[in-house]
Amino acid sequence: MNRKLLDPFEPEYPEAIEACLDDEYAVKCAFSHNGELLATSRSDGFCYIWDMDTLNVMRKLSHSDTALAGLSWSRSGRYILTYDEAGVCVVWDLQTQTVRVRVEFGSAIACARMHPRNSAQFVVCPVREAPSLVTIGKGESAEPMIQQILISAESVDQKTKAASSTCCCFGKKGIYAFFGTSKGAIHAVHTATLEVTCSVKLSSSAVNTVARNPRGSDIVTSSSDRILRVCEVYLPGQETRRKVVAAGTPPSITVITKIQDIVNRVHWAQALFSSSGDYIVSGIQHKAEHNIYIWDKLSGSLVKMLTGPNELLEDCAVHPLRAIYASVSTFGIIYMWTRVPQQNWNAFAPGFRELEENIDYTESEDIFDRRIVQENGGTVDCVLERILQDAHAVAGADETEMDIDVDITDNDPLFSDSDSQSEDDGFVIPVRVECDDKLPPTTVLSELEAQQPLTNDVPTELGQTITE
């Protein structure tokens, strides 16, 4: 996919379902950073990696027998984090298809996210424990370092006496991590010092999900009170779309937009930003409806509603670069939403004229004549005139011909959210060739038999005969 050839004026939301991926046990889904792969966590303990070009399964990762609760990609796409309801987190290396690290906790995992810049770190939110920052050791036998994060005393569990959180996400560059609690609060924690930089109480209901803007510093949350909140974040040293926050500016998290369905009062399955960060994408969990709502981030008005089959929606994901959505139904089917491409023939042939309806074409009498008599009585040789026109066109092209410098090494800033590049940004998942076990075994000849000429009825070790 050549990203620079995409239409920059294409709407950022799809229109209809283009394809269906039959994954009967799928629960959650997530796109990789470049959008070339789609990962699904399943209820049977497996994680499938789908190729977005062929829509086929490239990898099958066996996590455990327990149902997976979710997954998270690294920035490079080489590592993927899977976590289950038994409290086990596993980081996979897709290049070698091996387990990089395995960490066990004492309770189920509510949410876990990988660091957007450092593939050796990830945060985990256990249900009855304090959230932790896990750092993977450099050596193969090195144990991971687990650091607990004390977010607030309001969300302390009465049984374990630990401040737990319900959801989490990293900031744009991973300097800060945001945690949502069951008391309706959002806490911004500095990942280097593990200290709470800013806190705000959104409501008295629990925060179910929190997601960051891929093109900005704001976040969106969904709570149990069925309201989506877009929060503008100002933290020291963090860049925003409007300005750079000064070092002396007090940190703040401000709610700028509230979105809700006043009529139906539906629950939201997921709340995400679009690829450009200008829209809020959310799926609903209401009866047997498979609908995705697209809202304007600033005004909170409904822009588009995508209506799917009569199946309950479990999760949805947004492609990071294109107008492609993925949604998971309660039957485990993954629906791919996209736009129907509009063919613009004028872009290839400027003189091409599109017809809205059929017209009658009338040929002139002298269309195939070599010589045409003009009104003044003179004649024109059409063949000679065409040859002269072609010669002038070739001469003009030679004068304006020049070498074109094609640069394919620089990244397009339109599709990049950072000026720094990690060491694994160019990772491509290797392709494995699987042989068919049903093929008949081949006859292997020894060196002596290979040197002898083949004749009729020569016995082999397998009791077969080789004929010319």
Side-chain angles (χ1 to χ4, degrees):
M1 179 185 67
N2 194 338
R3 300 174 183 174
K4 295 186 178 182
L5 295 181
L6 297 178
D7 186 6
F9 303 103
E10 182 183 7
E12 302 176 15
Y13 45 84
E15 293 180 346
I17 297 175
E18 180 188 18
C20 298
L21 306 180
D22 191 3
D23 190 356
E24 54 182 338
Y25 297 104
V27 178
K28 300 289 184 180
C29 64
F31 284 100
S32 60
H33 183 76
N34 54 12
E36 295 179 357
L37 301 175
L38 176 68
T40 59
S41 59
R42 296 159 52 97
S43 59
D44 59 352
F46 278 83
C47 176
Y48 281 10
I49 309 298
W50 299 78
D51 184 13
M52 291 304 299
D53 293 332
T54 61
L55 298 181
N56 292 326
V57 179
M58 298 190 65
R59 290 290 186 273
K60 296 180 181 181
L61 308 177
S62 177
H63 178 93
S64 63
D65 296 335
T66 310
L68 293 181
L71 49 88
S72 177
W73 283 94
S74 66
R75 175 181 172 83
S76 62
R78 175 178 176 178
Y79 305 103
I80 185 171
L81 169 66
T82 59
Y83 53 95
D84 57 16
E85 298 177 355
V88 179
C89 293
V90 177
V91 178
W92 298 85
D93 188 354
L94 296 182
Q95 184 173 7
T96 60
Q97 201 178 355
T98 57
V99 176
R100 187 183 183 187
V101 68
R102 178 187 176 92
V103 183
E104 296 184 4
F105 293 88
S107 61
I109 306 298
C111 184
R113 293 292 181 267
M114 293 202 71
H115 197 283
R117 293 294 181 270
N118 187 3
S119 60
Q121 287 185 343
F122 60 92
V123 292
V124 183
C125 297
V127 175
R128 296 189 178 274
E129 299 179 16
S132 303
L133 176 65
V134 182
T135 304
I136 304 174
K138 295 183 179 180
E140 296 181 357
S141 60
E143 293 293 333
M145 182 177 60
I146 302 176
Q147 299 173 284
Q148 287 191 347
I149 304 173
L150 303 178
I151 52 176
S152 176
E154 295 180 355
S155 55
V156 174
D157 187 79
Q158 298 299 328
K159 294 183 179 180
T160 60
K161 303 299 180 182
S164 60
S165 61
T166 56
C167 57
C168 64
C169 76
F170 278 100
K172 181 178 179 180
K173 295 186 178 180
I175 302 176
Y176 296 93
F178 301 93
F179 297 90
T181 64
S182 58
K183 302 296 182 179
I186 290 291
H187 305 280
V189 178
H190 199 283
T191 56
T193 61
L194 300 183
E195 295 181 356
V196 178
T197 305
C198 181
S199 299
V200 62
K201 190 174 180 60
L202 302 178
S203 64
S204 58
S205 303
V207 180
N208 298 328
T209 61
V210 57
R212 67 176 179 91
N213 189 347
R215 308 295 178 187
S217 60
D218 43 352
I219 60 176
V220 59
T221 64
S222 65
S223 305
S224 298
D225 58 358
R226 308 174 187 182
I227 298 178
L228 304 179
R229 294 176 175 86
V230 181
C231 303
E232 197 167 19
V233 180
Y234 290 99
L235 296 174
Q238 188 174 12
E239 298 180 0
T240 62
R241 279 188 170 184
R242 301 177 182 178
K243 60 181 180 179
V244 178
V245 181
T249 304
S252 63
I253 301 176
T254 309
V255 179
I256 59 176
T257 308
K258 291 184 179 181
I259 301 173
Q260 62 178 330
D261 190 350
I262 303 176
V263 179
N264 297 323
R265 298 285 297 174
V266 296
H267 286 279
W268 306 106
Q270 186 64 270
L272 302 168
F273 282 95
S274 62
S275 57
S276 66
D278 296 332
Y279 299 97
I280 303 298
V281 181
S282 180
I284 65 171
Q285 287 183 337
H286 181 67
K287 298 180 181 179
E289 297 181 2
H290 196 96
N291 300 338
I292 299 177
Y293 288 79
I294 303 172
W295 312 81
D296 184 76
K297 183 184 70 173
L298 299 178
S299 63
S301 59
L302 182 63
V303 178
K304 182 77 173 180
M305 185 181 70
L306 305 178
T307 304
N310 295 329
E311 301 174 6
L312 183 64
L313 187 143
E314 293 288 344
D315 190 28
C316 61
V318 178
H319 195 279
L321 302 177
R322 302 179 61 186
I324 299 176
Y325 296 169
S327 61
V328 181
S329 69
T330 186
F331 297 106
I333 301 176
I334 306 169
Y335 295 98
M336 306 302 300
W337 303 76
T338 184
R339 294 188 61 86
V340 179
Q342 300 293 333
Q343 297 179 354
N344 185 12
W345 295 100
N346 293 329
F348 303 97
F352 186 84
R353 183 168 61 95
E354 297 183 4
L355 302 178
E356 297 181 357
E357 59 182 6
N358 296 332
I359 60 174
D360 296 333
Y361 174 72
T362 304
E363 294 183 354
S364 58
E365 296 182 357
D366 56 354
I367 187 173
F368 297 108
D369 295 344
R370 179 169 181 173
R371 292 181 175 83
I372 300 177
V373 180
Q374 298 181 346
E375 296 180 356
N376 55 4
T379 59
V380 177
D381 193 338
C382 298
V383 177
L384 181 60
E385 189 70 19
R386 189 180 302 108
I387 294 175
L388 294 176
Q389 291 180 0
D390 295 341
H392 287 299
V394 172
D398 293 338
E399 294 178 358
T400 59
E401 184 177 1
M402 58 190 307
D403 295 334
I404 301 176
D405 186 13
V406 179
D407 188 4
I408 60 174
T409 59
D410 294 339
N411 293 327
D412 191 358
L414 178 63
F415 299 101
S416 178
D417 60 352
S418 174
D419 53 354
S420 63
Q421 297 295 328
S422 61
E423 58 181 359
D424 294 330
D425 276 354
F427 170 75
V428 178
I429 187 170
V431 178
R432 296 186 309 165
V433 179
E434 297 181 357
C435 298
D436 193 356
D437 297 336
K438 297 181 181 180
L439 294 178
T442 57
T443 304
V444 180
L445 300 179
S446 61
E447 296 181 358
L448 296 177
E449 293 175 343
Q451 295 176 0
Q452 297 177 359
L454 297 179
T455 58
N456 293 334
D457 301 335
V458 177
T460 62
E461 296 179 357
L462 299 180
Q464 299 178 356
T465 57
I466 301 178
T467 59
E468 294 181 356

